Amino acid sequence: MDEVGVGLFNRDMIRSIKERWHDGGIGVIYVRFRIGNAASESALQHFESGEPRLFWRQRLEWDYYYLFYRKPQDEPIDKLTGKLAERLIEGLRKAWAKGGDEYEGGKGFDASIGVATAFPPATGRSSEAVIYRMLLDAMEQTTLLDSENTARDKEIDESSHDSVVKPQLAAASETERKRSPLWLQSKTVRIGELAVPFPSVSARARVSEVAYLFDTNAKAQGAVIIDQGRPIGILMKEKLHQMLAGQFGLPLYWNRPVERIMNNQPLIVDEQLPVEQVSQLAMARDFSQLYDVVLITKDGRMAGAASIRSILECITTLRTEAARGANPLTGLPGNEEIQLELRRRIGQGAPFAVIYADLDYFKWYNDCFGFGLGDDLIRYLAEILREKQSLLGSEGDFIGHIGGDDFIAVTNANVAERLCQALIKRFDDGIKPFYGGIEVTTVEDRHGNLIEQKGVTLSLSLMIWDGMVPLTSEEIPRLAAKLKKQAKAMKGSVYVKDQIKGMQHGEDRQ
């Protein structure tokens, strides 16, 4: 195996990718561990040493990135990367099974794995933007691999196993690609929080003055060009040195105003813009400007700057923090983030809607078809929530996983009913394949009584707040429980709606 490069989104990585992807693209495998352990480390080292197509890797705490290239005689890169991911999964499972209860009291070592591919960009897109999108795709579509379920998974026959594993390694759908990364849905960091002071000079300053600034300040990466307190351009130290190093550099530029040679199209963003959005704008720039700092303004005036490194480190930190509180089965935010979101919405004082979703007769389904398919059914509900929210919801919508088969969605009041209707239709249209061809006519309730029912249904409790009635986040689950009881008393998949009006509640089955 050739020497494997190390680093994330540095110049060497970009160059190495560009050298390889013209032979049919490149693939990335992203691995995130919830808990690190020696068994996992050993499995990863064994995987790395046995993969001749591996040419780049990077570790960030318990996040790992592996990049692979395709040789002309190989199968397509998506299939190649999928098989490599399956090999890695098998190695991790064997390592966990061998480790037994040695670590962390036998709690198991969960990992999420995602794959993605990238090809040379079409005209109009930068290579850096394509590569960055590939890394995000791999992180967005991670699927949980749970060592606690290894023994249970072995009980599933080969045909069933294929039906579960292969979709996990499939490429993200267009709906998923349009969706913001899940780890940023529950917590938004504004770019202003990363702003740090940055040298600035007047637009009328001479190039010689900027050169002196750089010579006397070794840590200065560049200077912002200011006109009446507003940034109009940027000049990076490396760029200036390149210009002055030429045969006629000094006589051509030394006494000219700096505005004549500055980059007059720097990336300038308002302090309120989310870090994730800024990172996408930054990576979409021409390669010659890729590592320029991002200028941050407040009310149009210079507030500071942020380096690309600080932006990527922030996103990595957000992802790590979100993973700790996310539900391991679906990757959706858990109860802590749910409460934060409800308090945030109430604090805004604007109308909003809360939808509680849960499955009817889920215990019966688990008992009849097994926990593995029960987990798949929960993931299915999570996916249709994401799908319909992306298509019908509004910017800033929130989806959380309370636990088990219970979910919550927070959206605008004016789209909530249409969203409920779409969720029910999508759920009912897609539930039959989960029965494996069996015609279901009766189910058991929690007391063991047989009920005439064609399988699992979906109950939705829709609550709409007008923004004026006094409300706390702790009251919402209590109000939802009343609606949930009403919905479960009805046959089939339904939603029950009510306005939040103190203790007076009506009922409206649609």
Side-chain angles (χ1 to χ4, degrees):
M1 182 174 66
D2 296 335
E3 183 178 354
V4 179
V6 178
L8 189 61
F9 230 95
N10 55 33
R11 293 177 186 270
D12 290 336
M13 175 185 171
I14 303 297
R15 175 187 53 77
S16 189
I17 289 174
K18 289 181 177 180
E19 290 174 353
R20 291 171 171 83
W21 65 359
H22 290 285
D23 287 326
I26 61 167
V28 61
I29 298 176
Y30 167 71
V31 186
R32 184 186 79 237
F33 291 104
R34 289 178 58 203
I35 303 174
N37 59 89
S40 300
E41 289 280 351
S42 176
L44 288 175
Q45 291 173 8
H46 180 72
F47 172 72
E48 293 173 16
S49 63
E51 294 302 340
R53 302 294 190 274
L54 176 66
F55 72 93
W56 207 267
R57 65 185 176 184
Q58 179 61 32
R59 171 181 174 178
L60 298 172
E61 294 185 346
W62 295 109
D63 293 57
Y64 297 78
Y65 301 82
Y66 297 107
L67 271 63
F68 304 87
Y69 70 100
R70 175 188 179 277
K71 291 186 176 181
Q73 69 273 19
D74 288 338
E75 58 191 330
I77 188 64
D78 56 342
K79 292 184 179 180
L80 176 65
T81 310
K83 288 183 177 180
L84 293 174
E86 289 177 343
R87 180 179 178 273
L88 175 57
I89 289 171
E90 184 63 24
L92 287 170
R93 282 182 166 156
K94 287 181 179 178
W96 287 332
K98 185 177 179 181
D101 295 342
E102 181 178 354
Y103 303 98
E104 296 292 329
K107 293 179 181 178
F109 312 109
D110 296 341
S112 294
I113 295 180
V115 301
T117 57
F119 300 86
T123 304
R125 293 195 69 192
S126 70
S127 299
E128 292 73 26
V130 173
I131 296 166
Y132 180 62
R133 183 68 256 177
M134 175 189 69
L135 298 178
L136 285 183
D137 282 346
M139 291 189 288
E140 287 178 21
Q141 58 177 289
T142 53
T143 300
L144 181 73
L145 173 67
D146 187 348
S147 64
E148 293 180 337
N149 296 329
T150 300
R152 185 182 72 196
D153 292 340
K154 290 180 179 178
E155 297 175 359
I156 305 175
D157 60 42
E158 281 299 314
S159 60
S160 172
H161 178 268
D162 287 344
S163 68
V164 172
V165 173
K166 290 181 180 177
Q168 292 176 354
L169 301 178
S173 66
E174 285 303 309
T175 298
E176 290 173 322
R177 290 177 185 272
K178 293 176 183 177
R179 191 173 65 240
S180 296
L182 290 176
W183 69 89
L184 294 176
Q185 288 185 1
S186 58
K187 182 177 180 180
T188 300
V189 172
R190 307 298 176 184
I191 190 64
E193 297 181 38
L194 304 185
V196 296
F198 200 76
S200 61
V201 297
S202 167
R204 293 176 293 278
R206 299 289 175 179
V207 171
S208 57
E209 296 177 62
V210 182
Y212 179 76
L213 171 67
F214 292 159
D215 288 342
T216 56
N217 187 352
K219 293 184 179 180
Q221 296 176 278
V224 183
I225 317 305
I226 301 292
D227 184 18
Q228 297 182 353
R230 299 179 182 274
I232 61 171
I234 189 171
L235 182 61
M236 301 303 290
K237 179 191 290 186
E238 182 180 358
K239 178 69 173 178
L240 177 60
H241 286 170
Q242 288 174 355
M243 297 178 72
L244 296 180
Q247 183 177 359
F248 303 105
L250 284 174
L252 276 177
Y253 304 118
W254 192 248
N255 288 314
R256 287 194 174 189
V258 70
E259 63 181 339
R260 295 284 186 88
I261 66 169
M262 70 181 183
N263 170 13
N264 60 6
Q265 292 185 325
L267 179 55
I268 303 174
V269 297
D270 185 80
E271 64 172 357
Q272 292 300 315
L273 207 62
V275 169
E276 164 65 13
Q277 188 174 344
V278 174
S279 71
Q280 294 180 14
L281 293 172
M283 293 306 167
R285 295 181 294 184
D286 184 84
F287 183 71
S288 63
Q289 300 178 27
L290 184 62
Y291 292 95
D292 288 1
V293 295
V294 176
L295 307 185
I296 303 168
T297 60
K298 179 178 182 181
D299 299 327
R301 303 181 72 83
M302 187 66 187
S307 67
I308 295 301
R309 178 178 179 177
S310 69
I311 292 172
L312 293 179
E313 286 178 347
C314 177
I315 292 175
T316 301
T317 300
L318 282 176
R319 200 192 195 308
T320 302
E321 290 178 354
R324 293 193 185 105
N327 186 287
L329 185 61
T330 60
L332 290 170
N335 287 308
E336 182 178 349
E337 296 294 335
I338 291 171
Q339 285 298 313
L340 287 173
E341 175 64 16
L342 292 175
R343 285 196 283 269
R344 185 184 71 82
R345 286 278 191 156
I346 293 170
Q348 289 178 341
F352 66 88
V354 179
I355 302 170
Y356 274 76
D358 78 308
L359 301 174
D360 306 317
Y361 311 111
F362 180 67
K363 182 180 183 300
W364 161 84
Y365 184 87
N366 262 345
D367 292 343
C368 289
F369 295 91
F371 290 103
L373 291 178
D375 286 351
D376 288 345
L377 186 54
I378 290 175
R379 292 190 190 99
Y380 169 65
L381 177 54
E383 185 52 40
I384 66 173
L385 282 165
R386 291 177 177 127
E387 175 189 315
K388 294 305 176 184
Q389 178 272 327
S390 177
L391 292 173
L392 302 175
S394 51
E395 185 178 354
D397 280 3
F398 175 89
I399 302 172
H401 189 170
I402 300 168
D405 60 321
D406 292 317
F407 293 83
I408 184 174
V410 185
T411 186
N412 284 353
N414 58 353
V415 301
E417 284 200 76
R418 190 156 58 100
L419 181 57
C420 287
Q421 293 163 0
L423 287 169
I424 287 173
K425 185 178 187 307
R426 179 70 175 84
F427 180 86
D428 288 345
D429 288 347
I431 187 62
K432 284 189 177 181
F434 286 89
Y435 305 133
I438 299 174
E439 187 67 27
V440 177
T441 57
T442 59
V443 300
E444 282 188 2
D445 64 15
R446 290 187 172 273
H447 305 292
N449 302 316
L450 281 178
I451 299 173
E452 288 189 8
Q453 173 69 35
K454 294 183 178 180
V456 180
T457 55
L458 176 64
S459 287
L460 302 176
S461 305
L462 169 59
M463 295 168 291
I464 298 176
W465 186 54
D466 62 6
M468 295 183 288
V469 174
L471 180 67
T472 65
S473 62
E474 290 76 15
E475 290 179 275
I476 293 176
R478 177 177 58 81
L479 299 173
K482 294 184 178 182
L483 291 183
K484 176 180 177 179
K485 186 175 181 180
Q486 295 174 21
K488 286 186 171 293
M490 302 175 184
K491 201 169 185 64
S493 295
V494 299
Y495 76 92
V496 175
K497 178 186 67 174
D498 198 1
Q499 297 282 337
I500 297 178
K501 298 178 180 177
M503 297 302 294
Q504 297 180 359
H505 299 283
E507 176 183 339
D508 180 15
R509 176 184 176 181
Q510 302 290 333

